[in-house]
Amino acid sequence: MSRARSRIAGVISVLGELLITAGVVLALFVVYSLWWTNVLADRAAARMSDDVRDGWKANNAPQGLDTRDGIGFLHVPAMKNGEVLVKRGTDPKKLNDGIAGYYTEPIASALPWQPRGNFTLAAHRDGHGAKFHNIHKIKEGDPVVFETKDVWYVYKVYKTLPKTSKYNVDVLDPVPKESGKTKPGRYITLTTCTPVFTSDYRYIVWGELVREERVDRERTKPAELR
């Protein structure tokens, strides 16, 4: 073999090794992003959830108090993701802990116990707990339940918007007119990124409060969760 051919073969060999290495690194990054961050987030969320429930048992977290631990738990049977702790704010770094956050800006969220308004929530769709990964499985008529220390708030989904601009903040309005509503009420809005594995657009789900149930001593779940 000539020297030229030998050099070419050497270069090709090095490039091949580099490509293999790059492929391995990329694969590890994907595993980290889509699996390991979920593991870490679920662990963090479990610890925070335990703190909230321990506080409730100790009777030191009255209804409506916005503590550092969280205000309650979101239950969406259609998403099959268990209970989701809800805390203040939608900073991605905080949502990385496997929770959902309620908006404080650009339009401040109402809270469930307030007489009017839109309870607006965000969570990751992929990685970091991916609590809204299955948002596309929610259909009109499905229940969405928010649990606080003293009250179960039961909502019914009435509209979904599979794709809208990430700059569309009108979906967070106290009266979400884009959903078809024209009068003040007690609404809930779930938001997350779409399509899967991107953050190009937003997926929206709207619901309306249908009833409240007081929490009994055994914390019996509403029929929608049984």
Side-chain angles (χ1 to χ4, degrees):
M1 181 183 295
S2 66
R3 288 187 178 181
R5 290 185 178 179
S6 179
R7 288 175 182 174
I8 293 173
V11 170
I12 292 174
S13 177
V14 171
L15 287 175
E17 291 178 2
L18 289 175
L19 289 173
I20 292 173
T21 301
V24 171
V25 171
L26 181 60
L28 290 174
F29 177 75
V30 171
V31 170
Y32 171 79
S33 298
L34 302 182
W35 178 72
W36 186 243
T37 59
N38 286 341
V39 173
L40 296 178
D42 286 343
R43 290 176 181 173
R47 290 193 295 269
M48 288 186 287
S49 297
D50 288 344
D51 288 342
V52 171
R53 293 198 178 279
D54 288 345
W56 287 355
K57 291 178 181 178
N59 201 34
N60 61 5
Q63 170 81 357
L65 179 63
D66 182 8
T67 70
R68 65 179 179 82
D69 293 323
I71 62 170
F73 298 90
L74 182 73
H75 303 260
V76 187
M79 288 202 287
K80 297 181 179 180
N81 61 349
E83 63 182 29
V84 181
L85 178 64
V86 174
K87 300 182 72 173
R88 184 177 188 272
T90 55
D91 183 339
K93 293 181 180 179
K94 294 180 180 179
L95 299 184
N96 287 352
D97 285 334
I99 64 172
Y102 66 85
Y103 284 86
T104 58
E105 58 181 6
I107 299 174
S109 172
L111 295 175
W113 45 85
Q114 294 177 330
R116 292 289 184 273
N118 190 4
F119 183 33
T120 54
L121 304 173
H124 286 299
R125 195 169 188 189
D126 294 291
H128 304 288
K131 293 306 180 183
F132 285 1
H133 181 76
N134 289 327
I135 195 171
H136 61 286
K137 294 185 177 182
I138 302 175
K139 308 299 180 185
E140 293 181 17
D142 284 348
V144 173
V145 180
F146 189 71
E147 174 191 4
T148 68
K149 175 177 177 288
D150 300 314
V151 180
W152 299 94
Y153 296 90
V154 182
Y155 299 83
K156 183 178 180 180
V157 173
Y158 65 87
K159 184 71 176 292
T160 64
L161 180 60
K163 182 179 178 181
T164 189
S165 168
K166 59 185 176 183
Y167 304 109
N168 181 7
V169 299
D170 293 344
V171 300
L172 308 176
D173 283 344
V175 179
K177 294 180 180 178
E178 196 167 352
S179 73
K181 296 298 182 181
T182 58
K183 298 180 180 180
R186 297 172 74 178
Y187 306 111
I188 189 169
T189 302
L190 311 182
T191 72
T192 193
C193 297
T194 199
V196 178
F197 310 127
T198 75
S199 59
D200 295 338
Y201 299 95
R202 294 294 179 268
Y203 197 113
I204 312 297
V205 171
W206 287 290
E208 187 170 16
L209 188 75
V210 293
R211 75 178 190 281
E212 299 178 15
E213 287 187 17
R214 297 294 299 180
V215 174
D216 60 24
R217 183 174 297 179
E218 292 75 27
R219 299 200 73 85
T220 304
K221 294 181 178 179
E224 289 81 359
L225 300 182
R226 290 182 229 149

